[in-house]
Amino acid sequence: MRCLQKGLVIWLTGLSGSGKTTISNIVKDLIKKDGIRVEILDGDWFRQNIDPEAGFTKEERKKHLIRVANVAKLLARNGIVTICSFVSPYEDIRNEIKNIIREEAKFFLIYTKCEIEECIKRDPKGLYKKALKGEIKNFTGIDDPYEEPKEYDLLLDTVRNSVEYNVEKLYSFIKEKINEIEKA
């Protein structure tokens, strides 16, 4: 496995159940097959292993996501393709994340678009069911807003397009960015 001269951060944002983790894991395997170092920072894993006290208010999310951004920046500046899969629901915090990472690495925001109704139908972790019953507070899309990105580098519509299509779209995008880095 080789590291790039300079890594990059691919930041997937979208509602819970929009497909961020599914797409990220498949793309990670494809990049690994290309012999390139790649890591995934996923919301569930990061909260469980790195930031277990992280809460869900806007201020707590901000602190949490700033930690994630700094870890992603560290990985990327060491030549690792870093895929981050986080709801990251607020536009101002996403902009702050972008600024932190761009100090030392390339940053690309990927919007995994999926309507709330579809996310509720999918509900892979049963979280929407709990949030709708009032068992979970500050749940994005139910009693806390998700601010759709005003600007993004790539849109993955996970309602209108298949997982395979979105994987290929993201993988091709990342390969293009890797090629640009290697030619620089």
Side-chain angles (χ1 to χ4, degrees):
M1 294 292 214
R2 66 185 173 87
C3 291
L4 304 174
Q5 182 113 11
K6 185 175 187 178
L8 55 120
V9 175
I10 304 295
W11 193 285
L12 281 78
T13 180
L15 290 166
S16 179
S18 65
K20 298 179 301 297
T21 300
T22 300
I23 293 167
S24 295
N25 284 325
I26 298 169
V27 169
K28 176 188 176 189
D29 291 342
L30 293 171
I31 294 169
K32 272 187 163 181
K33 284 181 185 174
D34 291 337
I36 297 170
R37 289 288 315 264
V38 57
E39 291 291 338
I40 290 182
L41 298 179
D42 178 75
D44 292 337
W45 179 88
F46 205 91
R47 281 181 182 275
Q48 183 178 27
N49 295 287
I50 306 292
D51 200 6
E53 280 81 44
F56 291 94
T57 66
K58 184 172 183 178
E59 192 54 40
E60 290 167 327
R61 285 178 190 263
K62 179 179 179 177
K63 287 178 189 174
H64 172 69
L65 291 169
I66 297 301
R67 286 183 184 109
V68 174
N70 281 296
V71 171
K73 179 174 71 171
L74 176 66
L75 291 168
R77 80 174 180 211
N78 284 286
I80 298 169
V81 174
T82 307
I83 302 172
C84 298
S85 176
F86 292 84
V87 173
S88 39
Y90 307 108
E91 185 76 14
D92 61 330
I93 298 172
R94 287 191 299 264
N95 287 331
E96 196 168 336
I97 291 164
K98 175 174 51 176
N99 291 334
I100 288 167
I101 292 169
R102 283 193 173 161
E103 290 172 359
E104 297 185 42
K106 300 263 185 193
F107 173 90
F108 301 98
L109 184 66
I110 313 303
Y111 177 28
T112 55
K113 182 180 174 92
C114 185
E115 288 75 21
I116 186 73
E117 298 79 16
E118 180 62 25
C119 291
I120 290 170
K121 277 188 221 170
R122 293 176 183 177
D123 202 8
K125 302 172 200 167
L127 299 175
Y128 285 101
K129 186 176 181 181
K130 289 179 180 177
L132 288 166
K133 288 181 180 177
E135 296 172 15
I136 299 176
K137 300 293 180 208
N138 300 316
F139 192 78
T140 304
I142 302 300
D143 60 352
D144 202 50
Y146 178 80
E147 299 171 0
E148 288 191 32
K150 292 180 179 125
E151 294 180 18
Y152 44 82
D153 297 291
L154 185 68
L155 172 70
L156 302 177
D157 187 327
T158 65
V159 173
R160 288 163 191 78
N161 298 310
S162 68
V163 171
E164 295 78 17
Y165 177 87
N166 286 311
V167 163
E168 181 55 38
K169 191 173 178 180
L170 181 57
Y171 176 64
S172 295
F173 178 85
I174 295 171
K175 288 291 292 180
E176 177 185 312
K177 300 308 174 189
I178 289 171
N179 288 337
E180 289 172 10
I181 289 169
E182 291 183 323
K183 289 179 182 175

mmCIF file of all heavy atoms in Angstrom, residues 45-85:
data_model
loop_
_atom_site.group_PDB
_atom_site.id
_atom_site.type_symbol
_atom_site.label_atom_id
_atom_site.label_comp_id
_atom_site.label_asym_id
_atom_site.label_seq_id
_atom_site.Cartn_x
_atom_site.Cartn_y
_atom_site.Cartn_z
ATOM 1 N N TRP A 45 -18.374 4.782 14.493
ATOM 2 C CA TRP A 45 -17.072 4.315 14.969
ATOM 3 C C TRP A 45 -16.367 5.403 15.769
ATOM 4 O O TRP A 45 -15.815 5.147 16.843
ATOM 5 C CB TRP A 45 -16.194 3.884 13.784
ATOM 6 C CG TRP A 45 -14.846 3.418 14.226
ATOM 7 C CD1 TRP A 45 -14.498 2.146 14.588
ATOM 8 C CD2 TRP A 45 -13.670 4.221 14.404
ATOM 9 N NE1 TRP A 45 -13.170 2.115 14.970
ATOM 10 C CE2 TRP A 45 -12.640 3.381 14.864
ATOM 11 C CE3 TRP A 45 -13.393 5.564 14.212
ATOM 12 C CZ2 TRP A 45 -11.362 3.833 15.130
ATOM 13 C CZ3 TRP A 45 -12.116 6.026 14.496
ATOM 14 C CH2 TRP A 45 -11.118 5.155 14.943
ATOM 15 N N PHE A 46 -16.394 6.640 15.250
ATOM 16 C CA PHE A 46 -15.685 7.732 15.907
ATOM 17 C C PHE A 46 -16.276 8.012 17.289
ATOM 18 O O PHE A 46 -15.552 8.184 18.258
ATOM 19 C CB PHE A 46 -15.732 8.998 15.037
ATOM 20 C CG PHE A 46 -14.597 9.942 15.300
ATOM 21 C CD1 PHE A 46 -13.420 9.856 14.582
ATOM 22 C CD2 PHE A 46 -14.704 10.927 16.263
ATOM 23 C CE1 PHE A 46 -12.364 10.722 14.823
ATOM 24 C CE2 PHE A 46 -13.663 11.815 16.512
ATOM 25 C CZ PHE A 46 -12.487 11.710 15.793
ATOM 26 N N ARG A 47 -17.602 8.029 17.383
ATOM 27 C CA ARG A 47 -18.244 8.262 18.685
ATOM 28 C C ARG A 47 -17.934 7.129 19.664
ATOM 29 O O ARG A 47 -17.740 7.358 20.848
ATOM 30 C CB ARG A 47 -19.755 8.408 18.519
ATOM 31 C CG ARG A 47 -20.170 9.767 18.024
ATOM 32 C CD ARG A 47 -21.681 9.883 17.890
ATOM 33 N NE ARG A 47 -22.071 11.170 17.362
ATOM 34 C CZ ARG A 47 -22.236 12.267 18.091
ATOM 35 N NH1 ARG A 47 -22.066 12.218 19.390
ATOM 36 N NH2 ARG A 47 -22.584 13.401 17.528
ATOM 37 N N GLN A 48 -17.879 5.907 19.180
ATOM 38 C CA GLN A 48 -17.630 4.763 20.053
ATOM 39 C C GLN A 48 -16.175 4.709 20.521
ATOM 40 O O GLN A 48 -15.910 4.409 21.680
ATOM 41 C CB GLN A 48 -17.990 3.472 19.324
ATOM 42 C CG GLN A 48 -17.846 2.230 20.162
ATOM 43 C CD GLN A 48 -18.270 0.987 19.395
ATOM 44 O OE1 GLN A 48 -18.207 0.936 18.173
ATOM 45 N NE2 GLN A 48 -18.704 -0.016 20.117
ATOM 46 N N ASN A 49 -15.236 5.020 19.638
ATOM 47 C CA ASN A 49 -13.819 4.794 19.934
ATOM 48 C C ASN A 49 -13.013 6.035 20.282
ATOM 49 O O ASN A 49 -12.033 5.935 21.010
ATOM 50 C CB ASN A 49 -13.148 4.094 18.744
ATOM 51 C CG ASN A 49 -13.707 2.712 18.539
ATOM 52 O OD1 ASN A 49 -13.422 1.818 19.314
ATOM 53 N ND2 ASN A 49 -14.514 2.546 17.508
ATOM 54 N N ILE A 50 -13.370 7.176 19.766
ATOM 55 C CA ILE A 50 -12.561 8.375 19.943
ATOM 56 C C ILE A 50 -13.256 9.422 20.810
ATOM 57 O O ILE A 50 -12.636 10.058 21.645
ATOM 58 C CB ILE A 50 -12.209 9.016 18.571
ATOM 59 C CG1 ILE A 50 -11.542 8.016 17.630
ATOM 60 C CG2 ILE A 50 -11.356 10.276 18.756
ATOM 61 C CD1 ILE A 50 -10.170 7.559 18.042
ATOM 62 N N ASP A 51 -14.542 9.600 20.621
ATOM 63 C CA ASP A 51 -15.257 10.704 21.261
ATOM 64 C C ASP A 51 -16.575 10.210 21.883
ATOM 65 O O ASP A 51 -17.653 10.674 21.518
ATOM 66 C CB ASP A 51 -15.521 11.778 20.196
ATOM 67 C CG ASP A 51 -15.819 13.144 20.772
ATOM 68 O OD1 ASP A 51 -15.708 13.317 21.999
ATOM 69 O OD2 ASP A 51 -16.167 14.042 19.982
ATOM 70 N N PRO A 52 -16.492 9.267 22.839
ATOM 71 C CA PRO A 52 -17.713 8.660 23.378
ATOM 72 C C PRO A 52 -18.615 9.610 24.173
ATOM 73 O O PRO A 52 -19.794 9.325 24.335
ATOM 74 C CB PRO A 52 -17.201 7.533 24.275
ATOM 75 C CG PRO A 52 -15.797 7.881 24.591
ATOM 76 C CD PRO A 52 -15.282 8.685 23.429
ATOM 77 N N GLU A 53 -18.088 10.741 24.626
ATOM 78 C CA GLU A 53 -18.915 11.687 25.375
ATOM 79 C C GLU A 53 -19.617 12.693 24.469
ATOM 80 O O GLU A 53 -20.327 13.570 24.950
ATOM 81 C CB GLU A 53 -18.072 12.444 26.419
ATOM 82 C CG GLU A 53 -17.823 11.650 27.691
ATOM 83 C CD GLU A 53 -16.687 10.650 27.548
ATOM 84 O OE1 GLU A 53 -15.639 11.014 26.988
ATOM 85 O OE2 GLU A 53 -16.853 9.498 27.976
ATOM 86 N N ALA A 54 -19.408 12.602 23.175
ATOM 87 C CA ALA A 54 -19.993 13.580 22.246
ATOM 88 C C ALA A 54 -21.513 13.536 22.318
ATOM 89 O O ALA A 54 -22.122 12.477 22.286
ATOM 90 C CB ALA A 54 -19.533 13.285 20.822
ATOM 91 N N GLY A 55 -22.097 14.713 22.412
ATOM 92 C CA GLY A 55 -23.554 14.822 22.460
ATOM 93 C C GLY A 55 -24.122 15.237 21.118
ATOM 94 O O GLY A 55 -23.411 15.247 20.100
ATOM 95 N N PHE A 56 -25.378 15.628 21.121
ATOM 96 C CA PHE A 56 -26.060 15.905 19.863
ATOM 97 C C PHE A 56 -26.655 17.305 19.755
ATOM 98 O O PHE A 56 -27.375 17.589 18.816
ATOM 99 C CB PHE A 56 -27.143 14.845 19.625
ATOM 100 C CG PHE A 56 -26.558 13.490 19.337
ATOM 101 C CD1 PHE A 56 -26.369 12.580 20.358
ATOM 102 C CD2 PHE A 56 -26.164 13.143 18.062
ATOM 103 C CE1 PHE A 56 -25.814 11.332 20.106
ATOM 104 C CE2 PHE A 56 -25.603 11.905 17.794
ATOM 105 C CZ PHE A 56 -25.431 10.996 18.818
ATOM 106 N N THR A 57 -26.356 18.190 20.717
ATOM 107 C CA THR A 57 -26.779 19.576 20.529
ATOM 108 C C THR A 57 -25.883 20.186 19.453
ATOM 109 O O THR A 57 -24.827 19.614 19.114
ATOM 110 C CB THR A 57 -26.639 20.397 21.824
ATOM 111 O OG1 THR A 57 -25.244 20.497 22.148
ATOM 112 C CG2 THR A 57 -27.414 19.768 22.981
ATOM 113 N N LYS A 58 -26.258 21.329 18.944
ATOM 114 C CA LYS A 58 -25.434 21.953 17.903
ATOM 115 C C LYS A 58 -24.016 22.200 18.405
ATOM 116 O O LYS A 58 -23.049 21.901 17.704
ATOM 117 C CB LYS A 58 -26.066 23.250 17.401
ATOM 118 C CG LYS A 58 -25.275 23.852 16.260
ATOM 119 C CD LYS A 58 -25.937 25.026 15.594
ATOM 120 C CE LYS A 58 -25.072 25.479 14.427
ATOM 121 N NZ LYS A 58 -25.661 26.589 13.694
ATOM 122 N N GLU A 59 -23.866 22.719 19.602
ATOM 123 C CA GLU A 59 -22.532 23.017 20.135
ATOM 124 C C GLU A 59 -21.732 21.730 20.356
ATOM 125 O O GLU A 59 -20.534 21.675 20.071
ATOM 126 C CB GLU A 59 -22.643 23.816 21.435
ATOM 127 C CG GLU A 59 -21.331 24.416 21.887
ATOM 128 C CD GLU A 59 -20.624 25.274 20.840
ATOM 129 O OE1 GLU A 59 -21.279 26.048 20.106
ATOM 130 O OE2 GLU A 59 -19.386 25.143 20.733
ATOM 131 N N GLU A 60 -22.371 20.679 20.855
ATOM 132 C CA GLU A 60 -21.677 19.404 21.060
ATOM 133 C C GLU A 60 -21.280 18.783 19.720
ATOM 134 O O GLU A 60 -20.185 18.222 19.591
ATOM 135 C CB GLU A 60 -22.568 18.440 21.851
ATOM 136 C CG GLU A 60 -22.751 18.857 23.296
ATOM 137 C CD GLU A 60 -23.871 18.101 24.003
ATOM 138 O OE1 GLU A 60 -24.881 17.731 23.362
ATOM 139 O OE2 GLU A 60 -23.731 17.888 25.228
ATOM 140 N N ARG A 61 -22.163 18.879 18.745
ATOM 141 C CA ARG A 61 -21.824 18.369 17.403
ATOM 142 C C ARG A 61 -20.629 19.130 16.825
ATOM 143 O O ARG A 61 -19.767 18.541 16.185
ATOM 144 C CB ARG A 61 -23.012 18.493 16.458
ATOM 145 C CG ARG A 61 -24.098 17.476 16.679
ATOM 146 C CD ARG A 61 -25.234 17.757 15.692
ATOM 147 N NE ARG A 61 -26.406 16.994 15.965
ATOM 148 C CZ ARG A 61 -26.726 15.852 15.373
ATOM 149 N NH1 ARG A 61 -25.932 15.330 14.486
ATOM 150 N NH2 ARG A 61 -27.841 15.237 15.672
ATOM 151 N N LYS A 62 -20.621 20.440 17.041
ATOM 152 C CA LYS A 62 -19.520 21.251 16.517
ATOM 153 C C LYS A 62 -18.189 20.786 17.105
ATOM 154 O O LYS A 62 -17.233 20.552 16.363
ATOM 155 C CB LYS A 62 -19.752 22.731 16.826
ATOM 156 C CG LYS A 62 -18.631 23.620 16.332
ATOM 157 C CD LYS A 62 -18.903 25.076 16.619
ATOM 158 C CE LYS A 62 -17.745 25.922 16.121
ATOM 159 N NZ LYS A 62 -17.992 27.347 16.317
ATOM 160 N N LYS A 63 -18.117 20.636 18.417
ATOM 161 C CA LYS A 63 -16.883 20.166 19.064
ATOM 162 C C LYS A 63 -16.465 18.808 18.508
ATOM 163 O O LYS A 63 -15.295 18.569 18.215
ATOM 164 C CB LYS A 63 -17.075 20.064 20.577
ATOM 165 C CG LYS A 63 -17.137 21.392 21.288
ATOM 166 C CD LYS A 63 -17.379 21.179 22.776
ATOM 167 C CE LYS A 63 -17.651 22.484 23.476
ATOM 168 N NZ LYS A 63 -18.024 22.305 24.886
ATOM 169 N N HIS A 64 -17.435 17.924 18.386
ATOM 170 C CA HIS A 64 -17.186 16.578 17.870
ATOM 171 C C HIS A 64 -16.628 16.629 16.443
ATOM 172 O O HIS A 64 -15.607 16.000 16.136
ATOM 173 C CB HIS A 64 -18.494 15.781 17.933
ATOM 174 C CG HIS A 64 -18.450 14.449 17.282
ATOM 175 N ND1 HIS A 64 -17.725 13.401 17.783
ATOM 176 C CD2 HIS A 64 -19.063 13.994 16.159
ATOM 177 C CE1 HIS A 64 -17.885 12.347 16.996
ATOM 178 N NE2 HIS A 64 -18.688 12.692 16.011
ATOM 179 N N LEU A 65 -17.286 17.391 15.587
ATOM 180 C CA LEU A 65 -16.871 17.438 14.180
ATOM 181 C C LEU A 65 -15.545 18.165 13.987
ATOM 182 O O LEU A 65 -14.794 17.835 13.067
ATOM 183 C CB LEU A 65 -17.981 18.054 13.326
ATOM 184 C CG LEU A 65 -19.230 17.172 13.212
ATOM 185 C CD1 LEU A 65 -20.379 17.941 12.578
ATOM 186 C CD2 LEU A 65 -18.935 15.884 12.441
ATOM 187 N N ILE A 66 -15.224 19.103 14.852
ATOM 188 C CA ILE A 66 -13.909 19.753 14.799
ATOM 189 C C ILE A 66 -12.822 18.724 15.140
ATOM 190 O O ILE A 66 -11.761 18.693 14.507
ATOM 191 C CB ILE A 66 -13.846 20.967 15.759
ATOM 192 C CG1 ILE A 66 -14.847 22.044 15.348
ATOM 193 C CG2 ILE A 66 -12.425 21.517 15.878
ATOM 194 C CD1 ILE A 66 -14.699 22.602 13.965
ATOM 195 N N ARG A 67 -13.095 17.861 16.108
ATOM 196 C CA ARG A 67 -12.149 16.772 16.425
ATOM 197 C C ARG A 67 -11.954 15.872 15.203
ATOM 198 O O ARG A 67 -10.830 15.507 14.853
ATOM 199 C CB ARG A 67 -12.653 15.940 17.600
ATOM 200 C CG ARG A 67 -12.523 16.604 18.928
ATOM 201 C CD ARG A 67 -12.977 15.681 20.073
ATOM 202 N NE ARG A 67 -12.919 16.389 21.321
ATOM 203 C CZ ARG A 67 -13.985 16.782 22.008
ATOM 204 N NH1 ARG A 67 -15.199 16.494 21.591
ATOM 205 N NH2 ARG A 67 -13.848 17.453 23.135
ATOM 206 N N VAL A 68 -13.056 15.508 14.588
ATOM 207 C CA VAL A 68 -12.987 14.658 13.395
ATOM 208 C C VAL A 68 -12.168 15.338 12.304
ATOM 209 O O VAL A 68 -11.306 14.717 11.683
ATOM 210 C CB VAL A 68 -14.407 14.332 12.868
ATOM 211 C CG1 VAL A 68 -14.324 13.574 11.550
ATOM 212 C CG2 VAL A 68 -15.209 13.540 13.893
ATOM 213 N N ALA A 69 -12.432 16.618 12.066
ATOM 214 C CA ALA A 69 -11.720 17.360 11.021
ATOM 215 C C ALA A 69 -10.213 17.358 11.271
ATOM 216 O O ALA A 69 -9.422 17.200 10.330
ATOM 217 C CB ALA A 69 -12.249 18.791 10.943
ATOM 218 N N ASN A 70 -9.809 17.509 12.524
ATOM 219 C CA ASN A 70 -8.379 17.514 12.828
ATOM 220 C C ASN A 70 -7.738 16.143 12.646
ATOM 221 O O ASN A 70 -6.603 16.042 12.179
ATOM 222 C CB ASN A 70 -8.139 18.083 14.229
ATOM 223 C CG ASN A 70 -8.216 19.591 14.222
ATOM 224 O OD1 ASN A 70 -7.410 20.258 13.586
ATOM 225 N ND2 ASN A 70 -9.203 20.138 14.899
ATOM 226 N N VAL A 71 -8.457 15.089 12.975
ATOM 227 C CA VAL A 71 -7.945 13.734 12.729
ATOM 228 C C VAL A 71 -7.847 13.491 11.219
ATOM 229 O O VAL A 71 -6.835 12.968 10.730
ATOM 230 C CB VAL A 71 -8.832 12.664 13.409
ATOM 231 C CG1 VAL A 71 -8.430 11.260 12.964
ATOM 232 C CG2 VAL A 71 -8.755 12.787 14.928
ATOM 233 N N ALA A 72 -8.873 13.890 10.485
ATOM 234 C CA ALA A 72 -8.864 13.727 9.025
ATOM 235 C C ALA A 72 -7.700 14.498 8.403
ATOM 236 O O ALA A 72 -7.013 13.992 7.503
ATOM 237 C CB ALA A 72 -10.195 14.197 8.440
ATOM 238 N N LYS A 73 -7.477 15.713 8.873
ATOM 239 C CA LYS A 73 -6.368 16.532 8.364
ATOM 240 C C LYS A 73 -5.031 15.841 8.624
ATOM 241 O O LYS A 73 -4.157 15.807 7.742
ATOM 242 C CB LYS A 73 -6.409 17.914 9.016
ATOM 243 C CG LYS A 73 -5.291 18.838 8.574
ATOM 244 C CD LYS A 73 -5.456 20.240 9.122
ATOM 245 C CE LYS A 73 -5.205 20.305 10.605
ATOM 246 N NZ LYS A 73 -5.152 21.696 11.107
ATOM 247 N N LEU A 74 -4.870 15.280 9.804
ATOM 248 C CA LEU A 74 -3.639 14.574 10.154
ATOM 249 C C LEU A 74 -3.395 13.385 9.218
ATOM 250 O O LEU A 74 -2.289 13.193 8.706
ATOM 251 C CB LEU A 74 -3.702 14.101 11.607
ATOM 252 C CG LEU A 74 -2.536 13.259 12.114
ATOM 253 C CD1 LEU A 74 -1.263 14.091 12.146
ATOM 254 C CD2 LEU A 74 -2.857 12.717 13.499
ATOM 255 N N LEU A 75 -4.431 12.598 8.993
ATOM 256 C CA LEU A 75 -4.299 11.454 8.091
ATOM 257 C C LEU A 75 -3.957 11.915 6.671
ATOM 258 O O LEU A 75 -3.047 11.379 6.037
ATOM 259 C CB LEU A 75 -5.593 10.631 8.080
ATOM 260 C CG LEU A 75 -5.911 9.865 9.355
ATOM 261 C CD1 LEU A 75 -7.341 9.344 9.328
ATOM 262 C CD2 LEU A 75 -4.926 8.718 9.556
ATOM 263 N N ALA A 76 -4.690 12.920 6.186
ATOM 264 C CA ALA A 76 -4.496 13.378 4.817
ATOM 265 C C ALA A 76 -3.115 13.994 4.601
ATOM 266 O O ALA A 76 -2.492 13.779 3.560
ATOM 267 C CB ALA A 76 -5.599 14.365 4.439
ATOM 268 N N ARG A 77 -2.637 14.738 5.577
ATOM 269 C CA ARG A 77 -1.319 15.356 5.383
ATOM 270 C C ARG A 77 -0.214 14.311 5.356
ATOM 271 O O ARG A 77 0.911 14.585 4.945
ATOM 272 C CB ARG A 77 -1.060 16.440 6.409
ATOM 273 C CG ARG A 77 -0.625 15.975 7.762
ATOM 274 C CD ARG A 77 -0.264 17.168 8.639
ATOM 275 N NE ARG A 77 0.149 16.729 9.944
ATOM 276 C CZ ARG A 77 -0.023 17.414 11.041
ATOM 277 N NH1 ARG A 77 -0.627 18.582 10.998
ATOM 278 N NH2 ARG A 77 0.398 16.951 12.191
ATOM 279 N N ASN A 78 -0.536 13.093 5.772
ATOM 280 C CA ASN A 78 0.404 11.981 5.698
ATOM 281 C C ASN A 78 0.146 11.087 4.489
ATOM 282 O O ASN A 78 0.579 9.942 4.449
ATOM 283 C CB ASN A 78 0.383 11.187 7.003
ATOM 284 C CG ASN A 78 1.123 11.918 8.101
ATOM 285 O OD1 ASN A 78 2.347 11.961 8.097
ATOM 286 N ND2 ASN A 78 0.391 12.547 9.005
ATOM 287 N N GLY A 79 -0.583 11.621 3.521
ATOM 288 C CA GLY A 79 -0.737 10.953 2.237
ATOM 289 C C GLY A 79 -1.827 9.907 2.164
ATOM 290 O O GLY A 79 -1.855 9.093 1.244
ATOM 291 N N ILE A 80 -2.740 9.921 3.112
ATOM 292 C CA ILE A 80 -3.799 8.916 3.158
ATOM 293 C C ILE A 80 -5.099 9.509 2.622
ATOM 294 O O ILE A 80 -5.491 10.615 2.993
ATOM 295 C CB ILE A 80 -3.995 8.398 4.596
ATOM 296 C CG1 ILE A 80 -2.692 7.718 5.066
ATOM 297 C CG2 ILE A 80 -5.183 7.452 4.697
ATOM 298 C CD1 ILE A 80 -2.655 7.388 6.536
ATOM 299 N N VAL A 81 -5.752 8.770 1.737
ATOM 300 C CA VAL A 81 -7.086 9.153 1.302
ATOM 301 C C VAL A 81 -8.005 8.901 2.491
ATOM 302 O O VAL A 81 -8.088 7.786 2.998
ATOM 303 C CB VAL A 81 -7.543 8.337 0.075
ATOM 304 C CG1 VAL A 81 -8.986 8.650 -0.284
ATOM 305 C CG2 VAL A 81 -6.614 8.591 -1.113
ATOM 306 N N THR A 82 -8.686 9.939 2.943
ATOM 307 C CA THR A 82 -9.510 9.847 4.145
ATOM 308 C C THR A 82 -10.960 10.127 3.790
ATOM 309 O O THR A 82 -11.291 11.212 3.307
ATOM 310 C CB THR A 82 -9.016 10.847 5.209
ATOM 311 O OG1 THR A 82 -7.608 10.634 5.422
ATOM 312 C CG2 THR A 82 -9.756 10.668 6.512
ATOM 313 N N ILE A 83 -11.794 9.121 3.999
ATOM 314 C CA ILE A 83 -13.225 9.243 3.710
ATOM 315 C C ILE A 83 -13.945 9.419 5.040
ATOM 316 O O ILE A 83 -13.853 8.564 5.917
ATOM 317 C CB ILE A 83 -13.750 7.998 2.965
ATOM 318 C CG1 ILE A 83 -12.977 7.788 1.658
ATOM 319 C CG2 ILE A 83 -15.250 8.138 2.706
ATOM 320 C CD1 ILE A 83 -13.289 6.476 0.955
ATOM 321 N N CYS A 84 -14.652 10.534 5.175
ATOM 322 C CA CYS A 84 -15.383 10.840 6.402
ATOM 323 C C CYS A 84 -16.871 10.728 6.124
ATOM 324 O O CYS A 84 -17.374 11.321 5.174
ATOM 325 C CB CYS A 84 -15.050 12.252 6.869
ATOM 326 S SG CYS A 84 -13.311 12.473 7.270
ATOM 327 N N SER A 85 -17.552 9.980 6.971
ATOM 328 C CA SER A 85 -18.980 9.728 6.798
ATOM 329 C C SER A 85 -19.716 10.207 8.046
ATOM 330 O O SER A 85 -19.803 9.485 9.036
ATOM 331 C CB SER A 85 -19.189 8.225 6.566
ATOM 332 O OG SER A 85 -20.546 7.924 6.479
#
